[in-house]
Short mmCIF file of all heavy atoms in Angstrom, two decimals:
data_model
loop_
_atom_site.label_atom_id
_atom_site.label_comp_id
_atom_site.label_asym_id
_atom_site.label_seq_id
_atom_site.Cartn_x
_atom_site.Cartn_y
_atom_site.Cartn_z
N TYR A 52 30.73 39.00 -30.19
CA TYR A 52 31.67 38.28 -31.06
C TYR A 52 31.17 36.88 -31.37
O TYR A 52 31.18 36.44 -32.53
CB TYR A 52 33.05 38.21 -30.40
CG TYR A 52 34.04 37.37 -31.18
CD1 TYR A 52 34.67 37.88 -32.32
CD2 TYR A 52 34.34 36.08 -30.77
CE1 TYR A 52 35.58 37.11 -33.04
CE2 TYR A 52 35.24 35.30 -31.49
CZ TYR A 52 35.86 35.81 -32.62
OH TYR A 52 36.73 35.04 -33.32
N PHE A 53 30.70 36.20 -30.33
CA PHE A 53 30.20 34.83 -30.55
C PHE A 53 28.97 34.85 -31.44
O PHE A 53 28.84 34.01 -32.35
CB PHE A 53 29.87 34.17 -29.21
CG PHE A 53 29.27 32.80 -29.33
CD1 PHE A 53 30.08 31.69 -29.58
CD2 PHE A 53 27.90 32.60 -29.22
CE1 PHE A 53 29.54 30.42 -29.70
CE2 PHE A 53 27.35 31.34 -29.34
CZ PHE A 53 28.18 30.24 -29.58
N ARG A 54 28.07 35.80 -31.21
CA ARG A 54 26.85 35.88 -32.02
C ARG A 54 27.18 36.12 -33.49
O ARG A 54 26.60 35.51 -34.38
CB ARG A 54 25.95 36.99 -31.47
CG ARG A 54 24.69 37.22 -32.27
CD ARG A 54 23.78 38.23 -31.58
NE ARG A 54 24.44 39.47 -31.31
CZ ARG A 54 24.70 40.41 -32.22
NH1 ARG A 54 24.34 40.20 -33.49
NH2 ARG A 54 25.29 41.53 -31.89
N GLU A 55 28.13 37.01 -33.74
CA GLU A 55 28.52 37.30 -35.12
C GLU A 55 29.26 36.12 -35.74
O GLU A 55 29.14 35.87 -36.94
CB GLU A 55 29.40 38.55 -35.15
CG GLU A 55 28.64 39.83 -34.81
CD GLU A 55 29.55 41.05 -34.77
OE1 GLU A 55 30.79 40.87 -34.77
OE2 GLU A 55 29.01 42.18 -34.73
N MET A 56 30.00 35.38 -34.92
CA MET A 56 30.75 34.23 -35.42
C MET A 56 29.80 33.15 -35.95
O MET A 56 30.08 32.51 -36.97
CB MET A 56 31.63 33.65 -34.31
CG MET A 56 32.50 32.47 -34.76
SD MET A 56 33.56 31.88 -33.43
CE MET A 56 32.34 31.21 -32.29
N VAL A 57 28.67 32.94 -35.28
CA VAL A 57 27.71 31.93 -35.72
C VAL A 57 26.68 32.51 -36.69
O VAL A 57 25.79 31.79 -37.16
CB VAL A 57 26.99 31.29 -34.51
CG1 VAL A 57 27.98 30.56 -33.61
CG2 VAL A 57 26.20 32.32 -33.71
N GLY A 58 26.79 33.81 -36.96
CA GLY A 58 25.91 34.42 -37.94
C GLY A 58 24.49 34.66 -37.47
O GLY A 58 23.56 34.68 -38.28
N ALA A 59 24.30 34.85 -36.16
CA ALA A 59 22.96 35.05 -35.61
C ALA A 59 22.61 36.53 -35.58
O ALA A 59 23.47 37.36 -35.24
CB ALA A 59 22.86 34.47 -34.20
N PRO A 60 21.38 36.90 -35.95
CA PRO A 60 20.97 38.31 -35.85
C PRO A 60 20.98 38.78 -34.40
O PRO A 60 20.96 37.97 -33.47
CB PRO A 60 19.54 38.29 -36.42
CG PRO A 60 19.44 37.02 -37.21
CD PRO A 60 20.34 36.05 -36.53
N GLU A 61 20.99 40.08 -34.21
CA GLU A 61 21.06 40.64 -32.86
C GLU A 61 19.89 40.21 -31.99
O GLU A 61 20.04 39.96 -30.79
CB GLU A 61 21.11 42.17 -32.93
CG GLU A 61 21.25 42.83 -31.56
CD GLU A 61 21.25 44.35 -31.64
OE1 GLU A 61 21.23 44.87 -32.77
OE2 GLU A 61 21.26 44.99 -30.58
N ARG A 62 18.72 40.08 -32.60
CA ARG A 62 17.54 39.70 -31.81
C ARG A 62 17.64 38.29 -31.25
O ARG A 62 16.91 37.92 -30.33
CB ARG A 62 16.25 39.85 -32.63
CG ARG A 62 16.15 38.90 -33.82
CD ARG A 62 14.99 39.31 -34.74
NE ARG A 62 14.85 38.41 -35.88
CZ ARG A 62 13.99 37.40 -35.92
NH1 ARG A 62 13.19 37.18 -34.87
NH2 ARG A 62 13.90 36.62 -36.97
N TYR A 63 18.56 37.48 -31.78
CA TYR A 63 18.75 36.12 -31.26
C TYR A 63 19.66 36.10 -30.04
O TYR A 63 19.93 35.03 -29.49
CB TYR A 63 19.32 35.22 -32.34
CG TYR A 63 18.32 34.78 -33.39
CD1 TYR A 63 17.01 35.23 -33.35
CD2 TYR A 63 18.68 33.92 -34.41
CE1 TYR A 63 16.08 34.84 -34.30
CE2 TYR A 63 17.76 33.53 -35.38
CZ TYR A 63 16.47 33.99 -35.32
OH TYR A 63 15.56 33.61 -36.26
N THR A 64 20.10 37.26 -29.59
CA THR A 64 20.89 37.33 -28.36
C THR A 64 20.09 36.76 -27.19
O THR A 64 20.64 36.15 -26.28
CB THR A 64 21.30 38.78 -28.06
OG1 THR A 64 22.04 39.29 -29.16
CG2 THR A 64 22.15 38.86 -26.80
N SER A 65 18.78 36.96 -27.23
CA SER A 65 17.93 36.46 -26.15
C SER A 65 17.99 34.94 -26.06
O SER A 65 17.84 34.38 -24.97
CB SER A 65 16.48 36.92 -26.36
OG SER A 65 15.95 36.40 -27.57
N VAL A 66 18.23 34.27 -27.19
CA VAL A 66 18.34 32.81 -27.17
C VAL A 66 19.60 32.40 -26.39
O VAL A 66 19.56 31.46 -25.58
CB VAL A 66 18.40 32.24 -28.60
CG1 VAL A 66 18.45 30.71 -28.56
CG2 VAL A 66 17.21 32.71 -29.41
N LEU A 67 20.70 33.12 -26.62
CA LEU A 67 21.93 32.84 -25.88
C LEU A 67 21.72 33.09 -24.40
O LEU A 67 22.18 32.31 -23.56
CB LEU A 67 23.06 33.71 -26.41
CG LEU A 67 23.45 33.53 -27.88
CD1 LEU A 67 24.52 34.55 -28.29
CD2 LEU A 67 23.95 32.12 -28.12
N PHE A 68 21.04 34.17 -24.07
CA PHE A 68 20.78 34.47 -22.67
C PHE A 68 19.86 33.43 -22.03
O PHE A 68 20.03 33.04 -20.88
CB PHE A 68 20.16 35.86 -22.52
CG PHE A 68 21.14 36.98 -22.69
CD1 PHE A 68 20.72 38.29 -22.74
CD2 PHE A 68 22.49 36.73 -22.79
CE1 PHE A 68 21.62 39.33 -22.90
CE2 PHE A 68 23.41 37.76 -22.94
CZ PHE A 68 22.97 39.06 -23.00
N GLY A 69 18.87 32.98 -22.81
CA GLY A 69 17.97 31.95 -22.30
C GLY A 69 18.71 30.66 -21.98
O GLY A 69 18.49 30.05 -20.94
N GLY A 70 19.61 30.26 -22.88
CA GLY A 70 20.40 29.08 -22.63
C GLY A 70 21.31 29.25 -21.43
O GLY A 70 21.48 28.32 -20.62
N ALA A 71 21.92 30.44 -21.29
CA ALA A 71 22.80 30.71 -20.16
C ALA A 71 22.03 30.68 -18.84
O ALA A 71 22.51 30.13 -17.84
CB ALA A 71 23.49 32.06 -20.33
N LEU A 72 20.83 31.25 -18.83
CA LEU A 72 20.01 31.24 -17.62
C LEU A 72 19.61 29.81 -17.24
O LEU A 72 19.61 29.45 -16.06
CB LEU A 72 18.76 32.10 -17.81
CG LEU A 72 18.96 33.61 -17.78
CD1 LEU A 72 17.67 34.33 -18.15
CD2 LEU A 72 19.44 34.06 -16.41
N GLY A 73 19.25 29.01 -18.25
CA GLY A 73 18.90 27.62 -17.98
C GLY A 73 20.07 26.84 -17.42
O GLY A 73 19.92 26.05 -16.48
N SER A 74 21.26 27.07 -17.98
CA SER A 74 22.46 26.38 -17.49
C SER A 74 22.80 26.81 -16.08
O SER A 74 23.17 25.98 -15.24
CB SER A 74 23.64 26.65 -18.43
OG SER A 74 23.39 26.14 -19.72
N MET A 75 22.69 28.11 -15.80
CA MET A 75 22.97 28.61 -14.46
C MET A 75 22.02 28.01 -13.44
O MET A 75 22.45 27.55 -12.37
CB MET A 75 22.84 30.14 -14.44
CG MET A 75 23.11 30.76 -13.07
SD MET A 75 22.57 32.49 -12.95
CE MET A 75 20.79 32.29 -12.82
N PHE A 76 20.74 27.98 -13.78
CA PHE A 76 19.73 27.42 -12.87
C PHE A 76 20.03 25.95 -12.57
O PHE A 76 20.03 25.53 -11.41
CB PHE A 76 18.35 27.58 -13.50
CG PHE A 76 17.21 27.26 -12.57
CD1 PHE A 76 16.58 28.27 -11.86
CD2 PHE A 76 16.76 25.95 -12.40
CE1 PHE A 76 15.53 27.98 -10.99
CE2 PHE A 76 15.72 25.66 -11.54
CZ PHE A 76 15.10 26.68 -10.83
N SER A 77 20.32 25.17 -13.62
CA SER A 77 20.58 23.75 -13.43
C SER A 77 21.88 23.51 -12.67
O SER A 77 21.97 22.59 -11.85
CB SER A 77 20.65 23.05 -14.79
OG SER A 77 19.41 23.15 -15.46
N PHE A 78 22.90 24.34 -12.93
CA PHE A 78 24.16 24.20 -12.20
C PHE A 78 23.97 24.45 -10.71
O PHE A 78 24.48 23.70 -9.87
CB PHE A 78 25.20 25.18 -12.77
CG PHE A 78 26.49 25.17 -12.00
CD1 PHE A 78 27.39 24.12 -12.13
CD2 PHE A 78 26.81 26.23 -11.15
CE1 PHE A 78 28.58 24.12 -11.41
CE2 PHE A 78 28.00 26.23 -10.44
CZ PHE A 78 28.89 25.17 -10.57
N LEU A 79 23.21 25.49 -10.38
CA LEU A 79 22.95 25.78 -8.97
C LEU A 79 22.14 24.66 -8.32
O LEU A 79 22.38 24.30 -7.16
CB LEU A 79 22.20 27.11 -8.85
CG LEU A 79 23.00 28.35 -9.25
CD1 LEU A 79 22.09 29.58 -9.28
CD2 LEU A 79 24.16 28.57 -8.29
N GLN A 80 21.19 24.09 -9.06
CA GLN A 80 20.43 22.96 -8.55
C GLN A 80 21.35 21.76 -8.31
O GLN A 80 21.21 21.05 -7.32
CB GLN A 80 19.32 22.59 -9.53
CG GLN A 80 18.40 21.49 -9.03
CD GLN A 80 17.28 21.18 -10.01
OE1 GLN A 80 17.22 21.75 -11.09
NE2 GLN A 80 16.40 20.28 -9.64
N PHE A 81 22.29 21.55 -9.21
CA PHE A 81 23.27 20.47 -9.06
C PHE A 81 24.10 20.65 -7.79
O PHE A 81 24.38 19.68 -7.07
CB PHE A 81 24.18 20.44 -10.30
CG PHE A 81 25.44 19.66 -10.14
CD1 PHE A 81 25.41 18.27 -10.10
CD2 PHE A 81 26.66 20.30 -10.05
CE1 PHE A 81 26.57 17.54 -9.95
CE2 PHE A 81 27.84 19.57 -9.91
CZ PHE A 81 27.79 18.19 -9.86
N ILE A 82 24.47 21.90 -7.50
CA ILE A 82 25.28 22.18 -6.31
C ILE A 82 24.46 22.01 -5.04
O ILE A 82 24.91 21.39 -4.06
CB ILE A 82 25.84 23.62 -6.37
CG1 ILE A 82 26.82 23.77 -7.54
CG2 ILE A 82 26.52 24.00 -5.05
CD1 ILE A 82 28.07 22.95 -7.42
N VAL A 83 23.24 22.55 -5.04
CA VAL A 83 22.48 22.63 -3.79
C VAL A 83 21.79 21.31 -3.43
O VAL A 83 21.56 21.04 -2.23
CB VAL A 83 21.44 23.77 -3.88
CG1 VAL A 83 20.21 23.35 -4.69
CG2 VAL A 83 21.01 24.22 -2.49
N SER A 84 21.46 20.47 -4.40
CA SER A 84 20.70 19.26 -4.11
C SER A 84 21.40 18.33 -3.12
O SER A 84 20.80 17.91 -2.11
CB SER A 84 20.38 18.51 -5.40
OG SER A 84 19.46 19.24 -6.18
N PRO A 85 22.69 17.97 -3.33
CA PRO A 85 23.33 17.10 -2.35
C PRO A 85 23.54 17.78 -1.00
O PRO A 85 23.49 17.12 0.04
CB PRO A 85 24.67 16.75 -3.01
CG PRO A 85 24.90 17.79 -4.03
CD PRO A 85 23.56 18.21 -4.51
N ILE A 86 23.77 19.10 -1.02
CA ILE A 86 23.94 19.82 0.25
C ILE A 86 22.64 19.81 1.04
O ILE A 86 22.64 19.57 2.26
CB ILE A 86 24.40 21.26 -0.01
CG1 ILE A 86 25.79 21.26 -0.67
CG2 ILE A 86 24.43 22.07 1.28
CD1 ILE A 86 26.30 22.63 -1.06
N ALA A 87 21.52 20.05 0.35
CA ALA A 87 20.21 19.99 1.02
C ALA A 87 19.96 18.59 1.56
O ALA A 87 19.44 18.43 2.67
CB ALA A 87 19.11 20.40 0.05
N GLY A 88 20.34 17.57 0.78
CA GLY A 88 20.17 16.20 1.25
C GLY A 88 21.01 15.92 2.47
O GLY A 88 20.54 15.28 3.43
N GLY A 89 22.27 16.41 2.47
CA GLY A 89 23.14 16.21 3.63
C GLY A 89 22.61 16.91 4.87
O GLY A 89 22.63 16.35 5.97
N LEU A 90 22.13 18.13 4.70
CA LEU A 90 21.56 18.86 5.85
C LEU A 90 20.31 18.16 6.37
O LEU A 90 20.08 18.10 7.59
CB LEU A 90 21.22 20.29 5.43
CG LEU A 90 22.42 21.21 5.16
CD1 LEU A 90 21.94 22.55 4.60
CD2 LEU A 90 23.23 21.44 6.43
N SER A 91 19.51 17.60 5.46
CA SER A 91 18.29 16.92 5.90
C SER A 91 18.60 15.62 6.63
O SER A 91 17.80 15.17 7.45
CB SER A 91 17.38 16.64 4.70
OG SER A 91 17.87 15.58 3.90
N ASP A 92 19.74 15.01 6.32
CA ASP A 92 20.14 13.80 7.05
C ASP A 92 20.41 14.10 8.52
O ASP A 92 20.32 13.21 9.37
CB ASP A 92 21.40 13.19 6.43
CG ASP A 92 21.11 12.50 5.09
OD1 ASP A 92 19.93 12.18 4.84
OD2 ASP A 92 22.05 12.29 4.31
N TYR A 93 20.76 15.36 8.80
CA TYR A 93 21.05 15.75 10.19
C TYR A 93 19.86 16.46 10.85
O TYR A 93 19.48 16.12 11.98
CB TYR A 93 22.28 16.65 10.23
CG TYR A 93 22.67 17.10 11.61
CD1 TYR A 93 23.35 16.24 12.47
CD2 TYR A 93 22.36 18.38 12.07
CE1 TYR A 93 23.71 16.65 13.75
CE2 TYR A 93 22.70 18.80 13.35
CZ TYR A 93 23.38 17.93 14.19
OH TYR A 93 23.73 18.33 15.45
N TYR A 94 19.28 17.42 10.15
CA TYR A 94 18.21 18.23 10.74
C TYR A 94 16.82 17.65 10.51
O TYR A 94 15.86 18.08 11.16
CB TYR A 94 18.25 19.65 10.17
CG TYR A 94 19.45 20.45 10.60
CD1 TYR A 94 20.49 20.70 9.71
CD2 TYR A 94 19.58 20.95 11.89
CE1 TYR A 94 21.62 21.43 10.09
CE2 TYR A 94 20.68 21.69 12.28
CZ TYR A 94 21.69 21.92 11.37
OH TYR A 94 22.80 22.65 11.76
N GLY A 95 16.69 16.71 9.58
CA GLY A 95 15.39 16.18 9.22
C GLY A 95 14.93 16.71 7.87
O GLY A 95 15.39 17.77 7.42
N ARG A 96 14.03 15.99 7.22
CA ARG A 96 13.59 16.36 5.87
C ARG A 96 12.73 17.62 5.86
O ARG A 96 12.91 18.51 5.03
CB ARG A 96 12.80 15.21 5.24
CG ARG A 96 13.41 13.84 5.32
CD ARG A 96 14.70 13.73 4.56
NE ARG A 96 15.14 12.34 4.48
CZ ARG A 96 16.40 11.97 4.35
NH1 ARG A 96 17.37 12.88 4.29
NH2 ARG A 96 16.73 10.68 4.28
N LYS A 97 11.80 17.69 6.79
CA LYS A 97 10.78 18.75 6.72
C LYS A 97 11.36 20.15 6.85
O LYS A 97 11.02 21.02 6.03
CB LYS A 97 9.71 18.50 7.79
CG LYS A 97 8.55 19.50 7.71
CD LYS A 97 7.43 19.13 8.68
CE LYS A 97 6.29 20.13 8.58
NZ LYS A 97 5.15 19.76 9.46
N PRO A 98 12.22 20.45 7.84
CA PRO A 98 12.71 21.83 7.94
C PRO A 98 13.53 22.28 6.73
O PRO A 98 13.42 23.44 6.29
CB PRO A 98 13.56 21.82 9.22
CG PRO A 98 13.86 20.40 9.50
CD PRO A 98 12.70 19.63 8.97
N ILE A 99 14.33 21.38 6.16
CA ILE A 99 15.13 21.76 5.00
C ILE A 99 14.25 21.91 3.77
O ILE A 99 14.47 22.80 2.93
CB ILE A 99 16.24 20.72 4.74
CG1 ILE A 99 17.08 20.51 6.01
CG2 ILE A 99 17.13 21.16 3.60
CD1 ILE A 99 17.73 21.79 6.52
N LEU A 100 13.21 21.07 3.66
CA LEU A 100 12.26 21.21 2.55
C LEU A 100 11.54 22.55 2.64
O LEU A 100 11.39 23.26 1.63
CB LEU A 100 11.25 20.06 2.57
CG LEU A 100 10.15 20.12 1.51
CD1 LEU A 100 10.74 20.03 0.11
CD2 LEU A 100 9.12 19.01 1.72
N LEU A 101 11.08 22.91 3.83
CA LEU A 101 10.39 24.20 4.00
C LEU A 101 11.32 25.37 3.67
O LEU A 101 10.88 26.36 3.07
CB LEU A 101 9.86 24.32 5.43
CG LEU A 101 8.69 23.40 5.79
CD1 LEU A 101 8.38 23.50 7.28
CD2 LEU A 101 7.45 23.75 4.98
N LEU A 102 12.59 25.23 4.04
CA LEU A 102 13.56 26.29 3.72
C LEU A 102 13.73 26.42 2.20
O LEU A 102 13.78 27.53 1.67
CB LEU A 102 14.90 25.97 4.38
CG LEU A 102 16.02 27.00 4.19
CD1 LEU A 102 15.62 28.33 4.84
CD2 LEU A 102 17.33 26.49 4.80
N SER A 103 13.79 25.28 1.51
CA SER A 103 13.90 25.31 0.05
C SER A 103 12.67 25.95 -0.58
O SER A 103 12.78 26.78 -1.49
CB SER A 103 14.07 23.88 -0.49
OG SER A 103 15.28 23.31 -0.06
N LEU A 104 11.50 25.57 -0.09
CA LEU A 104 10.26 26.13 -0.65
C LEU A 104 10.15 27.63 -0.40
O LEU A 104 9.64 28.38 -1.25
CB LEU A 104 9.05 25.40 -0.05
CG LEU A 104 8.92 23.91 -0.39
CD1 LEU A 104 7.70 23.31 0.30
CD2 LEU A 104 8.81 23.71 -1.91
N PHE A 105 10.65 28.07 0.75
CA PHE A 105 10.64 29.52 1.04
C PHE A 105 11.54 30.26 0.06
O PHE A 105 11.20 31.34 -0.43
CB PHE A 105 11.09 29.78 2.47
CG PHE A 105 11.12 31.24 2.83
CD1 PHE A 105 9.96 31.92 3.14
CD2 PHE A 105 12.33 31.94 2.85
CE1 PHE A 105 9.99 33.27 3.45
CE2 PHE A 105 12.37 33.28 3.16
CZ PHE A 105 11.20 33.95 3.47
N GLY A 106 12.70 29.67 -0.24
CA GLY A 106 13.60 30.28 -1.22
C GLY A 106 12.96 30.36 -2.60
O GLY A 106 13.11 31.37 -3.31
N ILE A 107 12.26 29.30 -2.99
CA ILE A 107 11.58 29.28 -4.29
C ILE A 107 10.51 30.37 -4.35
O ILE A 107 10.41 31.11 -5.34
CB ILE A 107 10.97 27.89 -4.55
CG1 ILE A 107 12.08 26.86 -4.75
CG2 ILE A 107 10.05 27.92 -5.76
CD1 ILE A 107 11.60 25.43 -4.78
N MET A 108 9.71 30.47 -3.29
CA MET A 108 8.68 31.52 -3.26
C MET A 108 9.31 32.90 -3.34
O MET A 108 8.82 33.79 -4.05
CB MET A 108 7.86 31.39 -1.97
CG MET A 108 6.72 32.39 -1.88
SD MET A 108 5.88 32.38 -0.28
CE MET A 108 7.14 33.14 0.76
N SER A 109 10.44 33.09 -2.64
CA SER A 109 11.11 34.39 -2.66
C SER A 109 11.62 34.73 -4.06
O SER A 109 11.60 35.90 -4.46
CB SER A 109 12.30 34.37 -1.68
OG SER A 109 11.87 34.11 -0.36
#
Side-chain angles (χ1 to χ4, degrees):
Y52 175 77
F53 177 79
R54 177 174 55 77
E55 291 177 347
M56 183 178 67
V57 298
E61 183 182 355
R62 65 192 181 97
Y63 284 2
T64 302
S65 62
V66 183
L67 299 175
F68 284 172
L72 285 173
S74 297
M75 180 194 75
F76 190 95
S77 297
F78 175 74
L79 292 172
Q80 185 178 3
F81 164 72
I82 295 295
V83 78
S84 292
I86 296 175
L90 290 173
S91 75
D92 286 341
Y93 180 78
Y94 292 106
R96 311 296 190 207
K97 185 173 181 177
I99 306 302
L100 177 64
L101 290 173
L102 182 63
S103 295
L104 295 178
F105 179 78
I107 292 170
M108 183 187 71
S109 300

